Amino acid sequence: MEETYEALSEISKAFAHPTRLRILELLSVDEACVCHLTHILDKRQAYVSQQLGVLRDAGLVDVRRDGQMIYYRLADARAAGVLSLLKDLALGSNPKLRYDPVPRVPVAGCPCPRCNEADTCCCAS
Amino acid sequence: MEETYEALSEISKAFAHPTRLRILELLSVDEACVCHLTHILDKRQAYVSQQLGVLRDAGLVDVRRDGQMIYYRLADARAAGVLSLLKDLALGSNPKLRYDPVPRVPVAGCPCPRCNEADTCCCAS
DNA sequence: TGTGTATATTCTTAATTATGAATATATCAG
DNA sequence: CTGATATATTCATAATTAAGAATATACACA
């Protein structure tokens, strides 16, 4: 009866980090490769991989490889729900905060196909 | 744009602890005094107070005094929603987990009125 | 096979969090 | 005021987490 709350806290801990929250928010819009996340977050690649590892270990994200790129996506759409409710809670305590929607845009300098091929780019249609 | 996610992670961190999750779950049923929580959780009083302090600092719970007793309750019902979604996520990764509903029952040995006065006790009506 | 690119891991140290012990504060009863 | 009870805080230390640096792995392409 106590260990089940250990499991719950393991998942909660994965949320409890600013960079990981941003990653989850980006992934709730669309799957993304590490290079894409790295460019958007403006962090070192190794650091982003570490945070992705934490999310992976917690079971919050799934991974798929496509050639050289590795794409991450939410393992469960309810993770986006948690994120959304957390934002509501935060806004409740401090209405000055802003959580604007994050569009899926091509990132200059990102080598992934989605940022470079017009037909697969999100801004193509 | 980064500091807002700091605020979000502060709230998330408050969730990221087994005892605090149990407290939040108990409070999502009904407000409770520290002695009630202490008895149910079977922890030392100082420890429960510490965890309540973390929840208080995060703005997740509100406090009211009534005589010697201090009653805690959720500051925002959406905290219960976060908890509920977290449980769904946990069950998604491990269906063997059990999160049974927690009834509000009088606790033997708990000195609070709700555990001792028939008219205010939850099992009276 | 060798080179370049994308991603992951390991190691180390700093920072934070967890938690027990002791103690302080606040209220009530007398 | 005094003692008893409910709750909070402070302090010290153990445990965990954060994050940079260096390096390893895996695939693509020539």
Side-chain angles (χ1 to χ4, degrees):
Chain A
M1 189 190 291
E2 170 80 12
E3 59 210 280
T4 57
Y5 288 86
E6 293 283 349
L8 217 51
S9 76
E10 289 310 310
I11 293 182
S12 309
K13 281 178 192 168
F15 279 91
H17 187 287
T19 300
R20 292 197 294 269
L21 288 164
R22 290 192 66 194
I23 291 175
L24 290 171
E25 171 144 87
L26 291 166
L27 296 185
S28 49
V29 174
D30 192 7
E31 70 169 2
C33 60
V34 180
C35 61
H36 196 84
L37 296 172
T38 300
H39 276 83
I40 291 190
L41 298 171
D42 193 28
K43 305 279 185 188
R44 287 168 308 105
Q45 173 273 319
Y47 180 73
V48 172
S49 264
Q50 279 181 81
Q51 303 304 340
L52 285 169
V54 174
L55 295 173
R56 223 183 320 117
D57 291 345
L60 289 178
V61 298
D62 281 338
V63 196
R64 112 186 134 82
R65 174 185 282 277
D66 184 0
Q68 285 184 85
M69 309 291 170
I70 298 212
Y71 289 92
Y72 281 82
R73 71 194 120 82
L74 294 190
D76 187 324
R78 286 171 293 202
V82 172
L83 184 60
S84 171
L85 268 180
L86 285 172
K87 281 191 249 178
D88 289 346
L89 275 177
L91 290 170
S93 345
N94 182 0
K96 287 179 189 165
L97 297 173
R98 297 282 307 175
Y99 295 105
D100 297 317
V102 282
R104 176 64 154 89
V105 292
V107 176
C110 175
C112 82
R114 298 192 166 206
C115 288
N116 290 280
E117 296 171 9
D119 56 339
T120 58
C121 176
C122 55
C123 59
S125 55
Chain B
M1 190 191 292
E2 170 80 14
E3 60 211 280
T4 57
Y5 288 86
E6 292 284 349
L8 216 50
S9 76
E10 289 309 311
I11 292 182
S12 309
K13 281 177 193 168
F15 280 91
H17 189 289
T19 300
R20 292 197 294 269
L21 286 165
R22 290 192 65 193
I23 291 174
L24 289 170
E25 171 144 86
L26 290 166
L27 297 185
S28 49
V29 174
D30 192 7
E31 71 169 1
C33 60
V34 180
C35 61
H36 196 83
L37 297 171
T38 300
H39 276 82
I40 290 191
L41 298 171
D42 193 29
K43 306 277 184 190
R44 288 168 307 106
Q45 173 273 320
Y47 181 75
V48 174
S49 263
Q50 282 180 80
Q51 303 304 342
L52 285 168
V54 175
L55 295 172
R56 221 180 326 114
D57 291 346
L60 290 178
V61 298
D62 281 338
V63 196
R64 113 188 133 80
R65 175 184 282 277
D66 183 1
Q68 284 185 85
M69 310 291 171
I70 299 212
Y71 289 91
Y72 281 83
R73 69 194 122 83
L74 293 190
D76 186 325
R78 286 172 293 203
V82 172
L83 184 60
S84 172
L85 269 180
L86 286 172
K87 282 191 248 178
D88 289 346
L89 275 177
L91 290 171
S93 347
N94 181 359
K96 289 179 187 166
L97 296 172
R98 297 281 309 174
Y99 295 104
D100 297 317
V102 282
R104 177 63 153 90
V105 292
V107 175
C110 175
C112 80
R114 298 193 165 205
C115 288
N116 290 280
E117 295 171 9
D119 57 338
T120 58
C121 176
C122 54
C123 58
S125 56

